[in-house]
Amino acid sequence: MNRKDLLGLYDLSAEEIEEILTLGLSYKAALKRGEKEHSALKGRSVITLFYENSTRTRTSFELAAKFLGAKVVSISVATSSVQKGETLVDTGKTLDAMKNDVIVIRHPMGGAPKLLADTVKAHVVNGGDGMNEHPTQALLDMLTLKEHLGSIKGLKVAILGDIRHSRVAKSNLYGLTKLGAEVRLFGPKTLLPEGLEREGAIVCSSREEAVKGADAVMGLRIQLERQKAGNFPSLGEFAKYYGVDEQVLSHAKKGALVLHPGPVNRGVELSSGVIDGAQSHIEDQVLSGLAVRMSVLSLLGKEERA
Ligand code: ASP
Protein backbone atom coordinates (compact mmCIF):
# COMPACT_ATOMS: atom_id res chain seq x y z
CA MET A 1 0.00 0.00 0.00
CA ASN A 2 1.44 3.29 -1.00
CA ARG A 3 -0.57 6.07 0.59
CA LYS A 4 -0.03 8.59 3.35
CA ASP A 5 -3.30 8.16 5.23
CA LEU A 6 -6.18 5.76 5.84
CA LEU A 7 -9.32 7.88 5.84
CA GLY A 8 -11.98 5.46 4.62
CA LEU A 9 -12.67 2.37 2.57
CA TYR A 10 -14.44 4.46 -0.06
CA ASP A 11 -10.97 5.51 -1.28
CA LEU A 12 -9.23 2.12 -1.15
CA SER A 13 -8.91 -0.34 -4.01
CA ALA A 14 -9.80 -4.01 -3.62
CA GLU A 15 -6.07 -4.81 -3.86
CA GLU A 16 -5.21 -2.46 -1.02
CA ILE A 17 -7.93 -3.98 1.16
CA GLU A 18 -6.67 -7.49 0.39
CA GLU A 19 -3.13 -6.45 1.27
CA ILE A 20 -4.28 -5.14 4.68
CA LEU A 21 -6.31 -8.31 5.34
CA THR A 22 -3.51 -10.68 4.34
CA LEU A 23 -1.01 -9.00 6.65
CA GLY A 24 -3.73 -8.72 9.33
CA LEU A 25 -4.34 -12.48 9.20
CA SER A 26 -0.67 -13.18 9.79
CA TYR A 27 -0.62 -10.76 12.75
CA LYS A 28 -3.74 -12.47 14.13
CA ALA A 29 -2.08 -15.88 13.88
CA ALA A 30 0.98 -14.44 15.67
CA LEU A 31 -1.20 -12.98 18.43
CA LYS A 32 -2.87 -16.36 18.90
CA ARG A 33 0.60 -17.86 19.35
CA GLY A 34 1.25 -15.23 22.03
CA GLU A 35 3.74 -13.26 19.89
CA LYS A 36 3.40 -9.59 20.74
CA GLU A 37 6.83 -8.23 19.97
CA HIS A 38 7.35 -6.95 16.45
CA SER A 39 9.63 -4.29 15.06
CA ALA A 40 7.74 -2.78 12.10
CA LEU A 41 7.33 0.58 13.89
CA LYS A 42 10.52 0.59 15.91
CA GLY A 43 11.75 4.17 16.19
CA ARG A 44 8.37 5.61 15.16
CA SER A 45 5.77 7.41 17.29
CA VAL A 46 1.97 7.13 17.28
CA ILE A 47 -0.41 9.59 18.93
CA THR A 48 -4.07 8.81 19.56
CA LEU A 49 -6.32 11.87 19.51
CA PHE A 50 -9.89 10.92 20.42
CA TYR A 51 -12.56 13.61 20.57
CA GLU A 52 -15.25 10.98 21.25
CA ASN A 53 -15.55 8.20 23.81
CA SER A 54 -14.09 4.84 22.99
CA THR A 55 -12.95 1.73 24.80
CA ARG A 56 -12.04 -0.90 22.27
CA THR A 57 -10.91 1.20 19.31
CA ARG A 58 -8.53 3.38 21.26
CA THR A 59 -7.10 0.54 23.35
CA SER A 60 -6.76 -1.58 20.26
CA PHE A 61 -4.82 1.09 18.32
CA GLU A 62 -2.56 1.76 21.29
CA LEU A 63 -1.77 -1.91 21.88
CA ALA A 64 -1.28 -2.46 18.15
CA ALA A 65 1.25 0.38 17.98
CA LYS A 66 3.05 -0.89 21.11
CA PHE A 67 3.20 -4.47 19.81
CA LEU A 68 4.84 -3.05 16.66
CA GLY A 69 7.53 -1.37 18.74
CA ALA A 70 6.33 2.26 18.44
CA LYS A 71 6.36 4.91 21.16
CA VAL A 72 2.71 5.73 21.94
CA VAL A 73 1.16 8.85 23.43
CA SER A 74 -2.52 9.23 24.09
CA ILE A 75 -4.04 12.70 24.20
CA SER A 76 -7.01 13.14 26.44
CA VAL A 77 -9.03 15.83 24.70
CA ALA A 78 -10.90 16.60 27.92
CA THR A 79 -7.67 17.88 29.53
CA SER A 80 -5.87 19.22 26.43
CA SER A 81 -5.63 22.68 24.85
CA VAL A 82 -8.68 21.78 22.75
CA GLN A 83 -10.63 22.89 25.82
CA LYS A 84 -8.94 26.29 25.49
CA GLY A 85 -10.34 26.65 21.99
CA GLU A 86 -7.44 25.34 19.91
CA THR A 87 -8.52 24.31 16.41
CA LEU A 88 -7.96 20.81 15.06
CA VAL A 89 -5.49 22.12 12.48
CA ASP A 90 -3.44 23.95 15.14
CA THR A 91 -3.42 20.87 17.35
CA GLY A 92 -2.22 18.85 14.35
CA LYS A 93 0.57 21.35 13.57
CA THR A 94 1.75 21.23 17.17
CA LEU A 95 1.97 17.43 17.06
CA ASP A 96 3.74 17.63 13.70
CA ALA A 97 6.35 19.99 15.11
CA MET A 98 7.26 17.24 17.59
CA LYS A 99 8.20 15.03 14.60
CA ASN A 100 5.43 12.57 15.43
CA ASP A 101 4.87 9.93 12.73
CA VAL A 102 1.22 8.75 12.98
CA ILE A 103 -1.97 10.30 14.37
CA VAL A 104 -5.04 8.15 14.98
CA ILE A 105 -8.04 10.44 15.25
CA ARG A 106 -11.65 9.93 16.24
CA HIS A 107 -13.93 12.93 15.84
CA PRO A 108 -17.70 13.59 16.01
CA MET A 109 -17.52 15.53 12.72
CA GLY A 110 -17.45 13.64 9.43
CA GLY A 111 -14.45 14.84 7.42
CA ALA A 112 -12.29 15.89 10.39
CA PRO A 113 -9.58 13.24 9.70
CA LYS A 114 -9.34 14.47 6.08
CA LEU A 115 -8.89 18.06 7.24
CA LEU A 116 -6.15 16.93 9.60
CA ALA A 117 -4.50 14.72 6.97
CA ASP A 118 -4.40 17.63 4.51
CA THR A 119 -2.54 19.83 6.99
CA VAL A 120 -0.07 17.54 8.78
CA LYS A 121 2.99 15.65 7.61
CA ALA A 122 2.21 12.69 9.88
CA HIS A 123 0.24 9.70 8.59
CA VAL A 124 -3.41 10.02 9.68
CA VAL A 125 -5.64 7.05 10.47
CA ASN A 126 -9.37 7.55 10.87
CA GLY A 127 -10.61 5.90 14.06
CA GLY A 128 -14.22 6.89 13.30
CA ASP A 129 -15.55 10.26 12.05
CA GLY A 130 -19.13 11.19 12.85
CA MET A 131 -21.58 9.32 10.63
CA ASN A 132 -19.04 9.02 7.83
CA GLU A 133 -16.58 6.09 8.10
CA HIS A 134 -14.89 3.74 10.55
CA PRO A 135 -12.50 1.96 8.20
CA THR A 136 -10.61 -0.22 10.70
CA GLN A 137 -13.91 -1.55 12.09
CA ALA A 138 -15.00 -2.72 8.64
CA LEU A 139 -11.53 -4.13 7.99
CA LEU A 140 -11.72 -6.15 11.20
CA ASP A 141 -15.17 -7.41 10.23
CA MET A 142 -13.80 -8.46 6.84
CA LEU A 143 -10.78 -10.08 8.46
CA THR A 144 -13.10 -12.14 10.70
CA LEU A 145 -15.15 -13.21 7.67
CA LYS A 146 -12.08 -14.07 5.63
CA GLU A 147 -10.54 -16.08 8.43
CA HIS A 148 -13.65 -18.18 9.01
CA LEU A 149 -15.17 -18.35 5.54
CA GLY A 150 -12.08 -18.24 3.33
CA SER A 151 -13.00 -15.50 0.91
CA ILE A 152 -15.25 -12.44 0.94
CA LYS A 153 -16.24 -12.83 -2.72
CA GLY A 154 -19.78 -14.14 -3.09
CA LEU A 155 -20.66 -13.90 0.62
CA LYS A 156 -24.10 -12.63 1.62
CA VAL A 157 -23.83 -10.26 4.57
CA ALA A 158 -26.92 -8.87 6.33
CA ILE A 159 -26.45 -5.62 8.29
CA LEU A 160 -29.37 -4.64 10.51
CA GLY A 161 -30.23 -1.67 12.68
CA ASP A 162 -29.39 2.01 12.75
CA ILE A 163 -27.86 2.31 9.28
CA ARG A 164 -28.38 6.08 9.04
CA HIS A 165 -26.11 7.03 11.93
CA SER A 166 -23.66 4.17 11.46
CA ARG A 167 -20.16 4.81 10.13
CA VAL A 168 -19.60 1.07 10.57
CA ALA A 169 -22.37 0.23 8.09
CA LYS A 170 -20.98 2.67 5.52
CA SER A 171 -17.40 1.43 5.70
CA ASN A 172 -18.60 -2.17 5.54
CA LEU A 173 -20.80 -1.42 2.55
CA TYR A 174 -17.88 0.15 0.64
CA GLY A 175 -15.37 -2.53 1.61
CA LEU A 176 -17.51 -5.64 1.28
CA THR A 177 -18.93 -4.69 -2.11
CA LYS A 178 -15.42 -3.89 -3.41
CA LEU A 179 -14.41 -7.44 -2.52
CA GLY A 180 -17.47 -8.92 -4.24
CA ALA A 181 -19.85 -9.61 -1.32
CA GLU A 182 -23.60 -9.02 -1.43
CA VAL A 183 -24.59 -6.51 1.27
CA ARG A 184 -28.19 -6.49 2.47
CA LEU A 185 -29.41 -3.70 4.73
CA PHE A 186 -32.48 -3.54 6.93
CA GLY A 187 -33.74 -1.23 9.67
CA PRO A 188 -36.59 1.14 10.48
CA LYS A 189 -37.38 3.33 7.42
CA THR A 190 -36.42 6.38 9.46
CA LEU A 191 -32.94 4.92 9.95
CA LEU A 192 -32.35 3.87 6.33
CA PRO A 193 -31.05 6.82 4.30
CA GLU A 194 -31.85 7.10 0.61
CA GLY A 195 -29.29 6.27 -2.05
CA LEU A 196 -27.80 3.14 -0.49
CA GLU A 197 -28.58 1.13 -3.63
CA ARG A 198 -26.36 3.47 -5.61
CA GLU A 199 -23.48 2.29 -3.40
CA GLY A 200 -24.30 -1.33 -4.24
CA ALA A 201 -26.50 -2.30 -1.25
CA ILE A 202 -29.65 -4.38 -1.40
CA VAL A 203 -32.19 -2.63 0.82
CA CYS A 204 -34.58 -5.21 2.29
CA SER A 205 -38.11 -4.79 3.57
CA SER A 206 -38.00 -7.33 6.40
CA ARG A 207 -35.52 -8.91 8.79
CA GLU A 208 -36.22 -12.32 7.31
CA GLU A 209 -35.53 -11.11 3.76
CA ALA A 210 -32.20 -9.61 4.86
CA VAL A 211 -31.11 -12.65 6.82
CA LYS A 212 -32.36 -15.43 4.50
CA GLY A 213 -29.42 -17.63 3.48
CA ALA A 214 -26.89 -15.08 4.78
CA ASP A 215 -23.32 -16.14 5.61
CA ALA A 216 -23.04 -13.44 8.26
CA VAL A 217 -25.47 -11.28 10.23
CA MET A 218 -24.29 -8.01 11.74
CA GLY A 219 -26.25 -6.02 14.31
CA LEU A 220 -25.50 -2.31 14.71
CA ARG A 221 -25.76 -0.32 17.89
CA ILE A 222 -28.63 2.12 18.14
CA GLN A 223 -26.72 5.42 18.17
CA LEU A 224 -28.73 7.13 20.89
CA GLU A 225 -26.19 9.97 21.07
CA ARG A 226 -26.83 10.81 17.39
CA GLN A 227 -30.63 10.67 17.50
CA LYS A 228 -32.19 14.10 17.55
CA ALA A 229 -35.79 13.04 17.03
CA GLY A 230 -37.39 9.76 17.99
CA ASN A 231 -36.78 7.64 14.91
CA PHE A 232 -38.43 4.64 16.53
CA PRO A 233 -40.94 4.41 19.36
CA SER A 234 -38.94 2.63 22.07
CA LEU A 235 -35.99 0.28 22.56
CA GLY A 236 -38.46 -2.52 23.37
CA GLU A 237 -40.24 -2.03 20.08
CA PHE A 238 -36.96 -1.80 18.21
CA ALA A 239 -35.92 -5.18 19.64
CA LYS A 240 -39.29 -6.70 18.77
CA TYR A 241 -39.46 -5.56 15.15
CA TYR A 242 -35.86 -4.91 14.09
CA GLY A 243 -33.61 -6.88 16.45
CA VAL A 244 -32.08 -10.30 15.83
CA ASP A 245 -33.06 -13.20 18.08
CA GLU A 246 -32.64 -16.95 17.61
CA GLN A 247 -35.81 -17.18 15.55
CA VAL A 248 -34.65 -14.51 13.07
CA LEU A 249 -31.16 -16.01 12.96
CA SER A 250 -32.61 -19.40 12.01
CA HIS A 251 -33.30 -17.95 8.52
CA ALA A 252 -29.57 -17.46 7.90
CA LYS A 253 -27.24 -20.14 6.54
CA LYS A 254 -26.50 -22.86 9.09
CA GLY A 255 -23.60 -21.69 11.27
CA ALA A 256 -23.73 -18.12 9.90
CA LEU A 257 -21.41 -15.75 11.77
CA VAL A 258 -22.99 -13.19 14.10
CA LEU A 259 -21.08 -9.92 14.31
CA HIS A 260 -21.54 -6.64 16.20
CA PRO A 261 -19.07 -3.73 16.37
CA GLY A 262 -19.80 -3.05 20.02
CA PRO A 263 -20.71 -1.66 22.37
CA VAL A 264 -23.89 -3.78 22.29
CA ASN A 265 -27.19 -2.67 23.76
CA ARG A 266 -27.87 -6.17 25.08
CA GLY A 267 -31.37 -7.35 24.22
CA VAL A 268 -31.97 -4.51 21.73
CA GLU A 269 -30.00 -5.08 18.50
CA LEU A 270 -29.26 -8.70 19.41
CA SER A 271 -30.94 -10.93 21.99
CA SER A 272 -28.79 -12.20 24.84
CA GLY A 273 -29.14 -15.73 23.47
CA VAL A 274 -27.65 -14.64 20.14
CA ILE A 275 -24.85 -12.59 21.77
CA ASP A 276 -23.78 -15.51 23.95
CA GLY A 277 -24.62 -18.23 21.42
CA ALA A 278 -22.27 -20.49 19.47
CA GLN A 279 -22.53 -18.42 16.29
CA SER A 280 -21.45 -15.19 17.96
CA HIS A 281 -18.00 -13.94 16.91
CA ILE A 282 -18.17 -10.68 18.83
CA GLU A 283 -15.17 -11.44 21.04
CA ASP A 284 -13.20 -12.84 18.14
CA GLN A 285 -13.84 -9.52 16.33
CA VAL A 286 -11.90 -7.76 19.09
CA LEU A 287 -8.77 -9.83 18.37
CA SER A 288 -9.28 -9.25 14.64
CA GLY A 289 -9.39 -5.52 15.45
CA LEU A 290 -6.02 -5.59 17.13
CA ALA A 291 -4.51 -7.58 14.25
CA VAL A 292 -5.94 -5.41 11.49
CA ARG A 293 -4.81 -2.22 13.24
CA MET A 294 -1.30 -3.68 13.49
CA SER A 295 -1.51 -4.29 9.77
CA VAL A 296 -2.74 -0.77 8.92
CA LEU A 297 -0.19 0.93 11.20
CA SER A 298 2.71 -1.10 9.87
CA LEU A 299 1.74 -0.61 6.21
CA LEU A 300 1.33 3.16 6.60
CA GLY A 301 4.04 3.80 9.18
CA LYS A 302 6.81 1.97 7.35
CA GLU A 303 6.97 4.92 4.94
CA GLU A 304 8.79 8.00 6.29
CA ARG A 305 6.30 10.75 7.12
CA ALA A 306 5.98 13.36 4.40
N1 ASP B 1 -17.71 1.37 18.14
C1 ASP B 1 -18.33 1.69 16.87
C2 ASP B 1 -18.11 3.15 16.50
O1 ASP B 1 -17.38 3.85 17.16
C3 ASP B 1 -19.75 1.30 16.85
C4 ASP B 1 -20.63 2.03 17.82
O2 ASP B 1 -20.18 2.83 18.63
O3 ASP B 1 -21.83 1.81 17.71
O4 ASP B 1 -18.69 3.60 15.54
Side-chain angles (χ1 to χ4, degrees):
M1 197 165 68
N2 187 17
R3 50 173 70 235
K4 174 179 166 289
D5 311 298
L6 175 68
L7 302 177
L9 295 196
Y10 192 83
D11 310 320
L12 292 197
S13 66
E15 292 70 32
E16 287 174 304
I17 297 175
E18 288 286 11
E19 186 184 357
I20 296 169
L21 297 182
T22 303
L23 183 59
L25 281 172
S26 68
Y27 277 129
K28 188 166 177 188
L31 286 166
K32 284 187 184 166
R33 292 192 300 270
E35 293 166 20
K36 300 186 212 162
E37 292 211 20
H38 303 265
S39 56
L41 290 193
K42 197 161 182 298
R44 300 262 198 264
S45 63
V46 175
I47 292 181
T48 56
L49 179 62
F50 274 46
Y51 291 78
E52 252 186 26
N53 297 340
S54 164
T55 313
R56 71 206 78 214
T57 305
R58 183 177 194 141
T59 313
S60 175
F61 268 114
E62 290 176 4
L63 278 183
K66 286 184 181 180
F67 290 172
L68 294 170
K71 300 270 186 287
V72 184
V73 174
S74 152
I75 296 183
S76 164
V77 168
T79 54
S80 74
S81 295
V82 171
Q83 297 305 327
K84 298 180 184 164
E86 187 172 64
T87 66
L88 175 60
V89 169
D90 287 339
T91 302
K93 284 188 176 151
T94 304
L95 303 181
D96 239 18
M98 296 178 192
K99 304 287 177 207
N100 170 57
D101 298 293
V102 181
I103 301 175
V104 181
I105 178 175
R106 168 170 287 191
H107 201 283
M109 235 183 63
K114 165 97 172 79
L115 177 67
L116 184 66
D118 287 347
T119 43
V120 297
K121 292 194 168 76
H123 301 282
V124 173
V125 181
N126 180 3
D129 62 329
M131 292 162 26
N132 182 37
E133 282 223 43
H134 192 351
T136 58
Q137 174 67 46
L139 288 166
L140 79 85
D141 293 329
M142 286 190 271
L143 187 133
T144 308
L145 294 173
K146 197 172 161 72
E147 183 184 15
H148 293 279
L149 303 173
S151 161
I152 307 281
K153 196 169 181 345
L155 293 183
K156 297 179 173 62
V157 182
I159 305 180
L160 293 95
D162 184 353
I163 312 286
R164 177 180 294 280
H165 299 101
S166 176
R167 51 196 176 205
V168 176
K170 277 152 215 148
S171 289
N172 263 299
L173 174 57
Y174 304 143
L176 285 166
T177 51
K178 273 186 190 163
L179 294 200
E182 178 180 299
V183 178
R184 304 156 172 189
L185 302 176
F186 176 69
K189 277 243 155 34
T190 46
L191 295 177
L192 271 172
E194 308 232 315
L196 293 164
E197 286 97 341
R198 278 200 302 277
E199 302 297 342
I202 298 178
V203 178
C204 300
S205 47
S206 72
R207 290 182 290 195
E208 289 72 16
E209 184 192 343
V211 167
K212 191 162 185 258
D215 299 278
V217 177
M218 184 187 302
L220 297 174
R221 186 174 66 88
I222 287 287
Q223 308 261 308
L224 292 169
E225 74 278 28
R226 296 189 215 283
Q227 309 263 15
K228 286 202 185 65
N231 285 307
F232 54 91
S234 68
L235 290 180
E237 257 164 308
F238 184 91
K240 186 160 174 215
Y241 297 107
Y242 302 98
V244 177
D245 57 15
E246 285 95 329
Q247 204 277 326
V248 175
L249 188 59
S250 70
H251 293 270
K253 214 175 247 177
K254 197 165 176 294
L257 271 58
V258 172
L259 305 175
H260 191 296
V264 185
N265 291 306
R266 195 168 262 271
V268 181
E269 303 101 32
L270 303 177
S271 70
S272 271
V274 167
I275 294 171
D276 302 324
Q279 288 170 250
S280 170
H281 283 68
I282 299 174
E283 273 180 36
D284 184 39
Q285 283 175 275
V286 177
L287 188 61
S288 298
L290 182 53
V292 95
R293 289 177 180 119
M294 288 173 76
S295 172
V296 164
L297 288 176
S298 65
L299 287 170
L300 289 181
K302 70 178 188 318
E303 303 290 336
E304 287 285 338
R305 52 172 244 169

